[in-house]
Amino acid sequence: MKNIRNFSIIAHIDHGKSTLSDRLIERTEIISQRDFKDQILDSMDIERERGITIKSQTVCLPYKAKDGNAYFLNLIDTPGHVDFSYEVSRALASCEGAFLLVDASQGAEAQTLANLYLAMEHDLEVIPVINKIDLPSADVERVKEQIEEDLGLESERAILTSAKEGIGIEEVLEAAVQYLPPPEGDPDAPLRALIFDSNYDPFRGTIVHFRVFDGRIKAGDTIQFMSNNATYKVEEVGIFQIVRVPRKELAAGEVGYMIAGIKTVSDTSCGDTITLKKNRCDAPMPGFRESKPVVFSSIYPVASDDYEDLAAGLEKLKLNDSALIYEKDSSVALGFGFRCGFLGLLHLEVVQERLEREYDLSLILTAPSVQYELTLNDGEVLVIDNPALYPDPSTIESAREPYIRAAIIVPDRYMGAVMKLCLDRRGINRNYQYLTRDRLEMIFEIPLAEVIYDFYDKLKSVTQGYGSFDYDIIDFRETDLVKLDILINGERVDALSQLVHSERAVARGRRACEKLKEEIPRQMYKIAIQGAIGAKIVSRTTISPFRKDVTAKCYGGDISRKRKLLEKQKKGKKRMKMVGQVEIPQSAFLSVLKTED
Amino acid sequence: MKHPFHEPGGIYVHVPFCVRKCAYCDFCSEDDRSRIPAYLNALVKEIGGARPPSGLAFDTLYFGGGTPSVLAPEEIGRILAAVRRRLPLLPGAEITIEANPGTLAPGALGELRRLGVNRINIGIQSFSDARLRFLGRIHSAKAGRGAVRRARAAGFDNIGLDLIYGLPGETASDWRAEMRSAAALGPEHLSCYMLTYEPETPLARRLARGDFAPLDEARVGRRYRDTVRFLADRGFVQYEVSNFARSEAVQSRHNRKYWNFAPYLGFGPSAHSFIPPERWWNEAPLGRYLKHSASERSPAAERETVGYGQQIIEAVYLGLRQTRGIIVADFEARFGLDFKGTFGRVLAELRRKGWLDTSDAARCALTPAGMLFLDGIASMFVAVDFPDAPPA
């Protein structure tokens, strides 16, 4: 065990985690340069494009250190977004150490700090790495100062790297050997292994990723998940070296995978403990929590005959994404679809993009909603996340909505702007503290409903990109809800309804009408858009019809251009939904939630 | 390989020079006339290298621009000779020149007639000096009238005039007065274009700056309907969105080719050619065209093969631009599709709105009210899921 090191790299988005991981893998030569796709750990296209890792991958790096000994360095990858903080925590729980990556020009950000706190909760040895030192804007001294003051780490231990230029890679590997503690545990005790991830392989079923804390696991064992007592027979265990490499057994301290005839990833839970059926360990690993979706939206195909394809697409995605939940839903305006639950808005967007890209579907998503708790007059408690299921208001005794604790780190010159943004979102400022002379951590309690749509974008814009944000859900609090409906040419469009705080309703209704006016293209008829609460109209706008729509000149040089325009419109129409006589573009359904420009 | 050409083709020659470019114009043209000799050499070379498909003869030649009338008649003559040397131009071909009233030197019109130019399209645009100034035209209203009279005197018996309407502040009676003035000159043909603010033109920039308020859409729409009625009363029959003629014989034979899938060859910068199903277009602006010519490269900038589905789109859009509409039997024979079966839902909706001319079941044509919404209507047709390849 003394030759094993288990560690993660923790960083804010874009601070270069994937590039550094790639360089470490390259350096240890488990894969030939030729096969090496840049940023091999972020294997999905969408992740690659957005530069964030959602589905983590782990890799076991053989390394011969300067002390002459051979080591196995297990680099456990962590998802890089606030939506996935529980998954991050399980990955960290599987490590003894972590490299905290800080961008030499950006400095520490809210996520860096949140991840550092997580690492500290797990008693990890943390080594700071200052990356991107090749950038002209790099300010190593300032970042060192931040590392000391903001983060409370020893800056003289900081490793200077440029993952892009391949600088400092050797030093990172050496530091892992020298400064990170080897794992502890008893290989002869009953099996106790922590699941930190799983993925789906179409040929082998679910691949469970875990860290063994005590005992051993090998093919032929009958294992048990301690959360639900489900048992499986192990077919194969092994380690990750970009490809899966089977091993006879994995013992305490090691990190690897198991294949055990598990059909879908939903049959496993991140954070669960694996033990042997016949020789159970005393207690599971601490901190198990079922990951619960917090954002809900309905997904409909634009073309109703794509419903079956959508169903098939969701089923396949679900194989690899245990956090995604869905059930059948239907809408008067949009036909048949699915009500889906997501860990957050990024998760929602990723699912949408994957369905559209990988399954070639054109989709409409309704305005995302949080889950509300309603107590009815008869004492019954109802949990709803779908405006369509909102009961007659006269039957509701009280309503509660989820709140988050938001930690926002900004240069102090933006304090006022952030304060205004959060207060506008019904936030309560709980605390703020200076991390350094001019950087501030502000703590707010904000209704989740107020942050799910465009809060992060707004925060970025009011802080000119300097603000960073992390959150936890804390509790449910009393609220005053109403259902805001949208009528188009007098017809109530159920898919545009949303549940909003009563004080916000009129402003929201007005805003929704304006947004829809921008989103819905002019047509040959006048289109009236109204916002309504119950029978009361609270806002209205009109889209005036075309009074003429004809190109004056069309000769030899104009024909191809005109045809291309018509082809483009044809494509666009495939992404529109007819509601009565009105063509509503896909984007309109989400626009009703936008607050302001 | 034999080409099944049902009708003779057209030849287009683009002359990319103007005395001064108009404020609304986004065509390929420039004011620097020192490059005319280089242009002529390149053009004559391009025409000399043309390889028309065998069996294709031409019955129209159109000098467009720019302002072809900035060229001296002998320069036009040189181009004509090059065309005649290389391409079979049929006897009785329609040979049109576009002219700016400010560029017609005394004697030029007679020269052009003698060269065989038999149709002249004069860019009058307006009979109001204030409106001509707004448009950035170089000539006065008086010069416009004079040009028409001189063309007639020179023996032109097929004269077309261009007019623009829908200018800021224009009233219905302003526009009627314009049309009355035009009709009084007795042309055979009128093209009436609603003013379009093409991106990147000086006029569009002034609009964006808020220098003036554009005439609102509803008024422009009313002007259009008024135009159709007013001109019909004076013997000008609309045959396309913006084109009116005293008789079928004096419709622009050349322009009709563009709308009816006829072959055409274009020469000069930005000129388009179409030998079904291939379409290509030349480099622009002039400088690039000349460079390609100097280095013996093809002047073609881009080419495309217009596929089956794309041909349907073009046939629908261009068919509907014409008052005679889409000839249903021709369409069905060409595409192997049942027209009503394919577009039934759209047709029903158009009928409900009074936009479909139901007078002749053999044609699918729009009413004047429908024509005003042509682009949106074409989009409805195009949205129908017709096949992308010919039915087996």
Side-chain angles (χ1 to χ4, degrees):
Chain A
M1 248 185 298
K2 68 182 201 321
N3 289 352
I4 298 174
R5 298 291 182 275
N6 296 319
F7 63 95
S8 284
I9 302 172
I10 52 185
H12 187 77
I13 298 173
D14 287 341
H15 282 199
K17 188 173 79 169
S18 302
T19 317
L20 179 60
S21 305
D22 290 352
R23 293 296 163 267
L24 295 177
I25 294 166
E26 268 177 5
R27 169 63 188 73
T28 54
E29 292 175 352
I30 54 168
I31 186 164
S32 72
Q33 281 284 346
R34 196 161 42 87
D35 297 341
F36 202 89
K37 278 195 273 172
D38 242 4
Q39 306 203 347
I40 203 135
L41 293 188
D42 287 357
S43 57
M44 291 195 298
D45 280 355
I46 297 161
E47 295 184 0
R48 200 180 292 254
E49 276 166 27
R50 295 177 170 227
I52 14 172
T53 314
I54 293 148
K55 205 77 193 161
S56 60
Q57 282 189 32
T58 287
V59 62
C60 175
L61 307 168
Y63 177 65
K64 184 137 194 234
K66 286 187 178 139
D67 63 12
N69 296 322
Y71 290 86
F72 282 109
L73 308 181
N74 288 310
L75 167 55
I76 299 173
D77 196 17
T78 56
H81 189 273
V82 281
D83 285 358
F84 301 91
S85 56
Y86 179 65
E87 286 69 15
V88 176
S89 81
R90 294 307 85 198
L92 294 182
S94 306
C95 299
E96 278 76 38
F99 289 99
L100 179 73
L101 198 57
V102 185
D103 181 308
S105 61
Q106 303 287 318
E109 308 207 38
Q111 227 183 357
T112 322
L113 211 63
N115 285 333
L116 175 65
Y117 291 153
L118 263 175
M120 287 168 150
E121 273 174 41
H122 294 97
D123 282 329
L124 302 191
E125 187 67 36
V126 178
I127 302 173
V129 175
I130 302 177
N131 191 30
K132 302 196 188 182
I133 56 164
D134 59 304
L135 291 183
S137 54
D139 186 348
V140 173
E141 285 318 304
R142 188 183 64 95
V143 173
K144 277 192 171 172
E145 189 186 300
Q146 262 188 17
I147 285 172
E148 291 270 345
E149 292 186 12
D150 279 27
L151 311 179
L153 298 173
E154 291 168 33
S155 66
E156 66 264 27
R157 261 216 331 219
I159 303 167
L160 304 185
T161 63
S162 163
K164 200 170 126 236
E165 303 294 327
I167 300 166
I169 306 307
E170 190 76 25
E171 286 78 353
V172 172
L173 292 166
E174 274 302 315
V177 169
Q178 276 183 34
Y179 301 126
L180 300 184
E184 292 169 1
D186 181 356
D188 300 316
L191 175 67
R192 197 158 70 118
L194 174 66
I195 300 178
F196 60 81
D197 196 9
S198 55
N199 71 295
Y200 180 76
D201 179 304
F203 302 106
R204 306 298 305 269
T206 301
I207 314 292
V208 181
H209 306 209
F210 60 88
R211 149 82 193 268
V212 185
F213 280 84
D214 291 310
R216 303 167 191 278
I217 180 170
K218 60 180 187 306
D221 285 347
T222 300
I223 55 95
Q224 191 163 45
F225 291 144
M226 293 187 79
S227 71
N228 58 8
N229 291 330
T231 61
Y232 295 92
K233 190 157 176 193
V234 178
E235 296 165 12
E236 180 180 312
V237 297
I239 59 169
F240 299 104
Q241 292 198 314
I242 306 300
V243 292
R244 294 191 299 267
V245 179
R247 284 288 164 96
K248 250 168 100 178
E249 67 164 27
L250 294 175
E254 291 190 288
V255 169
Y257 70 91
M258 119 184 137
I259 296 170
I262 304 166
K263 273 208 217 95
T264 77
V265 295
S266 313
D267 297 328
T268 66
S269 306
C270 184
D272 203 350
T273 302
I274 310 172
T275 190
L276 291 180
K277 183 165 187 251
K278 284 204 179 128
N279 187 12
R280 282 175 60 110
C281 61
D282 304 340
M285 298 293 299
F288 175 71
R289 192 172 90 191
E290 292 225 46
S291 64
K292 270 204 204 131
V294 295
V295 173
F296 298 81
S297 167
S298 297
I299 301 184
Y300 297 92
V302 173
S304 45
D305 30 339
D306 283 347
Y307 174 78
E308 294 301 329
D309 292 340
L310 172 59
L314 278 168
E315 201 180 314
K316 284 207 188 113
L317 278 192
K318 172 84 183 150
L319 288 175
N320 225 341
D321 184 349
S322 59
L324 170 68
I325 62 161
Y326 64 91
E327 61 186 26
K328 281 187 184 171
D329 193 13
S330 71
S331 145
V332 179
L334 302 178
F336 289 104
F338 293 93
R339 189 74 185 168
C340 301
F342 307 93
L343 292 179
L345 213 70
L346 179 87
H347 187 208
L348 174 152
E349 284 172 19
V350 167
V351 169
Q352 177 186 5
E353 278 191 44
R354 292 193 63 183
L355 286 169
E356 295 200 334
R357 195 178 304 194
E358 295 169 29
Y359 302 94
D360 194 30
L361 293 164
S362 186
L363 302 173
I364 290 171
L365 272 80
T366 60
S369 172
V370 301
Q371 233 165 14
Y372 294 96
E373 271 178 22
L374 307 179
T375 304
L376 304 184
N377 294 335
D378 60 9
E380 193 194 339
V381 174
L382 209 59
V383 176
I384 67 155
D385 58 62
N386 190 344
L389 303 178
Y390 191 68
D392 176 354
S394 68
T395 66
I396 300 171
E397 174 78 34
S398 64
R400 284 164 305 283
E401 66 177 321
Y403 268 66
I404 59 163
R405 176 188 177 278
I408 295 168
I409 296 182
V410 279
D412 60 0
R413 61 183 181 279
Y414 300 113
M415 183 181 181
V418 171
M419 191 67 89
K420 179 172 186 309
L421 172 68
C422 292
L423 296 183
D424 282 351
R425 301 291 178 110
R426 295 189 284 136
I428 305 156
N429 182 218
R430 280 299 174 207
N431 192 9
Y432 61 91
Q433 64 177 92
Y434 275 90
L435 299 171
T436 55
R437 242 172 303 119
D438 53 1
R439 277 163 70 86
L440 202 59
E441 183 185 48
M442 304 172 77
I443 305 293
F444 290 89
E445 288 168 7
I446 310 178
L448 177 63
E450 298 283 343
V451 304
I452 54 169
Y453 196 67
D454 54 0
F455 179 78
Y456 193 55
D457 294 340
K458 286 283 138 57
L459 177 69
K460 281 281 174 199
S461 94
V462 304
T463 61
Q464 293 171 308
Y466 287 103
S468 57
F469 162 64
D470 193 65
Y471 73 86
D472 288 305
I473 293 185
I474 43 175
D475 51 15
F476 274 71
R477 297 182 190 175
E478 203 78 14
T479 186
D480 187 6
L481 271 190
V482 294
K483 182 177 164 206
L484 173 67
D485 291 317
I486 301 291
L487 285 70
I488 292 184
N489 280 349
E491 206 176 309
R492 198 171 302 259
V493 183
D494 56 359
L496 290 172
S497 295
Q498 48 179 317
L499 298 175
V500 292
H501 192 262
S502 65
E503 282 171 19
R504 302 290 217 218
V506 173
R508 272 286 180 81
R510 206 176 297 137
R511 191 68 204 152
C513 286
E514 283 165 21
K515 275 284 156 198
L516 286 169
K517 183 175 177 171
E518 288 168 23
E519 293 283 340
I520 298 175
R522 286 168 74 200
Q523 292 168 29
M524 294 180 198
Y525 284 115
K526 181 169 129 181
I527 303 168
I529 304 169
Q530 295 167 305
I533 295 168
K536 190 175 148 217
I537 302 295
V538 297
S539 58
R540 80 177 73 223
T541 51
T542 316
I543 299 175
S544 57
F546 276 119
R547 298 304 183 84
K548 66 147 182 99
D549 184 14
V550 56
T551 303
K553 280 191 181 184
C554 188
Y555 300 112
D558 307 305
I559 296 169
S560 287
R561 198 168 13 137
K562 189 69 206 176
R563 188 200 68 233
K564 282 175 191 158
L565 190 69
L566 286 164
E567 288 174 309
K568 201 173 132 201
Q569 286 170 353
K570 183 181 178 116
K571 256 196 196 142
K573 280 196 187 189
K574 289 202 169 147
R575 297 174 78 87
M576 298 223 199
K577 199 81 193 177
M578 287 295 280
V579 172
Q581 286 249 340
V582 182
E583 285 172 339
I584 304 182
Q586 214 182 8
S587 54
F589 291 89
L590 281 181
S591 75
V592 292
L593 231 73
K594 284 193 182 153
T595 47
E596 66 222 29
D597 290 319
Chain B
M1 192 179 124
K2 265 259 188 237
H3 289 264
F5 297 109
H6 300 295
E7 60 172 310
I11 300 164
Y12 176 77
V13 173
H14 190 78
V15 182
F17 300 99
C18 287
V19 172
R20 190 181 70 211
K21 196 161 177 162
C22 303
Y24 55 86
C25 174
D26 72 338
F27 286 105
C28 167
S29 91
E30 58 181 62
D31 306 350
D32 176 9
R33 281 175 284 166
S34 67
R35 290 208 280 189
I36 288 179
Y39 156 76
L40 284 173
N41 289 338
L43 182 74
V44 166
K45 186 162 113 186
E46 189 196 356
I47 295 169
R51 274 188 291 275
S54 64
L56 179 61
F58 299 86
D59 69 346
T60 68
L61 169 58
Y62 196 102
F63 289 95
T67 313
S69 55
V70 300
L71 296 184
E74 56 273 23
E75 290 167 330
I76 296 287
R78 191 180 156 200
I79 300 169
L80 260 168
V83 168
R84 289 204 162 100
R85 258 199 312 278
R86 185 69 194 178
L87 302 168
L89 195 60
L90 292 167
E94 173 194 276
I95 303 179
T96 308
I97 187 165
E98 285 180 343
N100 184 310
T103 60
L104 287 169
L109 286 160
E111 286 291 316
L112 291 171
R113 279 295 296 166
R114 273 188 290 283
L115 287 166
V117 178
N118 51 27
R119 184 170 181 272
I120 187 165
N121 200 69
I122 303 174
I124 295 270
Q125 314 308 356
S126 170
F127 293 91
S128 140
D129 286 339
R131 268 170 259 156
L132 288 169
R133 266 196 305 279
F134 173 81
L135 294 169
R137 300 290 297 180
I138 57 166
H139 55 90
S140 63
K142 193 166 160 233
R145 287 197 174 88
V148 178
R149 291 196 189 103
R150 280 187 289 130
R152 194 62 90 199
F156 279 97
D157 56 4
N158 191 353
I159 299 176
L161 306 182
D162 285 355
L163 297 177
I164 298 182
Y165 64 94
L167 276 62
E170 176 193 277
T171 64
S173 56
D174 286 342
W175 173 233
R176 271 189 219 134
E178 294 273 15
M179 290 189 286
R180 206 172 289 124
S181 301
L185 290 168
E188 279 66 36
H189 189 278
L190 283 171
S191 300
C192 299
Y193 298 109
M194 50 181 79
L195 177 61
T196 308
Y197 298 94
E198 300 291 350
E200 315 279 319
T201 56
L203 205 58
R205 280 193 285 273
R206 272 154 55 197
L207 176 70
R209 268 205 313 268
D211 287 1
F212 57 84
L215 193 66
D216 67 82
E217 228 180 66
R219 283 195 168 82
V220 176
R222 283 204 294 275
R223 297 288 176 280
Y224 171 83
R225 280 193 284 251
D226 213 20
T227 308
V228 176
R229 273 195 302 266
F230 188 93
L231 292 180
D233 290 347
R234 278 153 189 81
F236 291 93
V237 179
Q238 183 187 29
Y239 65 102
E240 193 258 3
V241 173
S242 305
N243 286 290
F244 304 80
R246 278 204 177 279
S247 72
E248 202 175 323
V250 291
Q251 291 178 358
S252 168
R253 199 196 288 169
H254 182 81
N255 285 339
R256 288 190 50 189
K257 294 191 189 295
Y258 295 129
W259 306 320
N260 292 309
F261 201 66
Y264 44 89
L265 290 177
F267 301 99
S270 83
H272 283 56
S273 300
F274 185 47
I275 302 295
E278 302 296 321
R279 186 178 287 131
W280 66 95
W281 48 95
N282 281 354
E283 290 286 353
L286 176 61
R288 284 181 65 90
Y289 173 79
L290 292 180
K291 238 186 236 164
H292 275 246
S293 174
S295 58
E296 305 298 330
R297 278 176 290 168
S298 153
E302 265 187 81
R303 47 182 76 237
E304 64 178 11
T305 303
V306 185
Y308 172 88
Q310 296 174 316
Q311 285 186 29
I312 293 179
I313 296 176
E314 293 185 2
V316 166
Y317 182 65
L318 300 172
L320 293 177
R321 285 191 74 84
Q322 303 174 77
T323 51
R324 70 161 202 191
I326 300 162
I327 312 296
V328 173
D330 289 356
F331 183 96
E332 294 186 336
R334 190 171 146 203
F335 296 111
L337 282 182
D338 171 20
F339 188 82
K340 269 196 190 138
T342 308
F343 299 112
R345 251 190 39 219
V346 178
L347 297 173
E349 196 176 335
L350 295 182
R351 200 170 296 126
R352 257 202 316 281
K353 287 174 178 156
W355 290 348
L356 197 67
D357 177 353
T358 48
S359 63
D360 183 354
R363 302 179 297 118
C364 169
L366 300 180
T367 58
M371 198 73 101
L372 193 51
F373 298 99
L374 172 69
D375 290 15
I377 290 170
S379 193
M380 288 161 65
F381 275 91
V382 169
V384 169
D385 258 322
F386 48 78
D388 235 3

